[in-house]
């Protein structure tokens, strides 16, 4: 009877083969998992030198009028994502934003982590905020930006079910940080903007009104055209790549 002799070399070779197979399987699972992941629109692929400026309004209101004045001075249209509870507190500001020609979009009704809600609760958040905005502006929002940038497949699917586009940002000004300065905000935005970028600011951020004029002038001098997010994005016949860039289908 023959005996099977397993040497140390053979054992190590077998272990290496097992590890390689495990890594290959894990890699395949990862690829499939990533391909199934749904993403919001972070930016847009475009040959035009266009950029969209956006603001999130969830808490304070002390500088909204100042932001409107600055945007008017530089003739820049902006997209404001507002929370329904903010609309309740500051309806006149919502009206002023709309009357000034800016777009008012949905940032949820109560600013929750959407991924922690049921699909019905998410829809309630979306529709409640939409109704409040429409009651003041006469326009139904087409875009939703999830609070905290928090989303998963269910969030993206629910937004689409509501007939809207889920939108994030590709350039974060970080104007909300305690150590933010007008200079750091300006430098961060102007260095990161590319054609098709969506820039995130916040109203009630301490140094944004100070930084904004320099940013707008700098980008204008570089030849950028400012557009609404709704004019930047594609409404149909597009894909969203692994980085959240919306790309038109050929």
């Amino acid at each position: 009877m023959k005996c099977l002799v397993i040497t140390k070399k053979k054992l190590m070779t077998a272990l290496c083969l097992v590890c390689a197979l495990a890594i290959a399987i894990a890699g395949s699972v990862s690829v499939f998992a990533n391909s199934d992941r749904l993403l919001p629109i972070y930016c847009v692929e475009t040959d035009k030198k266009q950029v969209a400026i956006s603001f999130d309004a969830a808490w304070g209101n002390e500088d909204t009028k100042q932001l409107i004045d600055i945007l008017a001075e530089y003739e820049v249209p902006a997209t404001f994502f507002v929370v329904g509870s903010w609309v309740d507190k500051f309806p006149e500001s919502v009206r002023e934003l709309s009357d000034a020609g800016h777009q008012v979009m949905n940032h949820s009704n109560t600013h929750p982590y959407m991924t922690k809600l049921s699909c019905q609760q998410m829809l309630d958040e979306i529709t409640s905020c939409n109704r409040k905005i429409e009651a003041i502006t006469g326009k139904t929002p087409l875009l939703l930006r999830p609070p905290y940038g928090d989303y998963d497949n269910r969030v993206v699917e629910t937004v689409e079910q509501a007939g809207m586009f889920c939108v994030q940002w590709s350039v974060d000004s970080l104007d909300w940080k305690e150590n933010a300065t007008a200079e750091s905000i300006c430098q961060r935005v102007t260095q990161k903007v590319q054609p098709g970028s969506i820039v995130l600011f916040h109203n009630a951020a301490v140094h944004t009104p100070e930084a904004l004029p320099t940013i707008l002038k700098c980008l204008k001098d570089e030849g950028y055209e400012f557009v609404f997010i709704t004019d930047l994005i594609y409404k149909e016949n597009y894909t969203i790549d692994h980085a959240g860039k919306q790309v038109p289908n050929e």
Side-chain angles (χ1 to χ4, degrees), residues 13-23:
T13 300
L15 287 174
C16 287
L17 288 172
V18 170
C19 289
L21 180 60
I23 291 172

Side-chain angles (χ1 to χ4, degrees), residues 25-240:
I25 293 173
S28 298
V29 171
S30 176
V31 167
F32 284 118
N34 287 338
S35 66
D36 290 339
R37 186 186 179 202
L38 300 179
L39 294 176
I41 301 169
Y42 280 79
C43 59
V44 174
E45 182 178 286
T46 176
D47 294 331
K48 300 176 182 178
K49 206 167 184 182
Q50 294 180 329
V51 59
I53 299 295
S54 69
F55 295 84
D56 285 358
W59 315 119
N61 189 43
E62 47 269 36
D63 65 356
T64 305
K65 182 62 169 67
Q66 188 177 3
L67 294 175
I68 291 174
D69 291 342
I70 294 170
L71 294 168
E73 180 181 353
Y74 289 88
E75 300 181 321
V76 170
T79 306
F80 283 78
F81 291 88
V82 303
V83 174
S85 57
W86 192 86
V87 177
D88 293 336
K89 292 178 182 177
F90 311 111
E92 286 304 316
S93 290
V94 175
R95 185 172 290 105
E96 288 174 0
L97 287 169
S98 181
D99 288 347
H102 302 295
Q103 289 190 339
V104 182
M105 296 294 168
N106 194 319
H107 196 35
S108 81
N109 192 49
T110 63
H111 207 267
Y113 285 95
M114 299 283 270
T115 56
K116 296 182 179 180
L117 304 181
S118 69
C119 291
Q120 186 57 54
Q121 288 172 323
M122 283 190 274
L123 279 174
D124 290 343
E125 284 282 331
I126 295 169
T127 56
S128 293
C129 185
N130 274 353
R131 288 171 186 154
K132 292 176 181 181
I133 293 171
E134 185 177 9
I136 295 174
T137 67
K139 300 173 184 177
T140 303
L142 183 64
L143 312 176
L144 178 130
R145 175 173 284 162
Y148 309 106
D150 175 51
Y151 69 90
D152 57 14
N153 282 13
R154 291 188 314 115
V155 174
V156 177
E157 289 171 339
T158 303
V159 174
E160 292 177 352
Q161 182 182 340
M164 303 171 71
F165 293 88
C166 193
V167 173
Q168 294 280 73
W169 59 87
S170 58
V171 179
D172 190 346
S173 67
L174 298 181
D175 56 355
W176 54 270
K177 285 197 168 186
E178 290 186 6
N179 62 347
T181 63
E183 183 179 358
S184 69
I185 295 168
C186 180
Q187 185 176 27
R188 182 176 181 82
V189 172
T190 55
Q191 288 182 352
K192 290 181 176 292
V193 162
Q194 298 177 354
S197 290
I198 298 173
V199 185
L200 170 64
F201 294 101
H202 297 80
N203 81 318
V206 176
H207 297 290
T208 299
E210 181 184 353
L212 193 58
T214 303
I215 293 170
L216 300 182
K217 184 178 185 305
C218 177
L219 294 179
K220 274 183 173 276
D221 289 346
E222 291 181 6
Y224 277 98
E225 174 190 9
F226 296 93
V227 297
F228 291 123
I229 295 176
T230 54
D231 293 329
L232 183 68
I233 65 175
Y234 302 101
K235 309 301 191 305
E236 57 185 16
N237 197 29
Y238 66 86
T239 56
I240 297 178

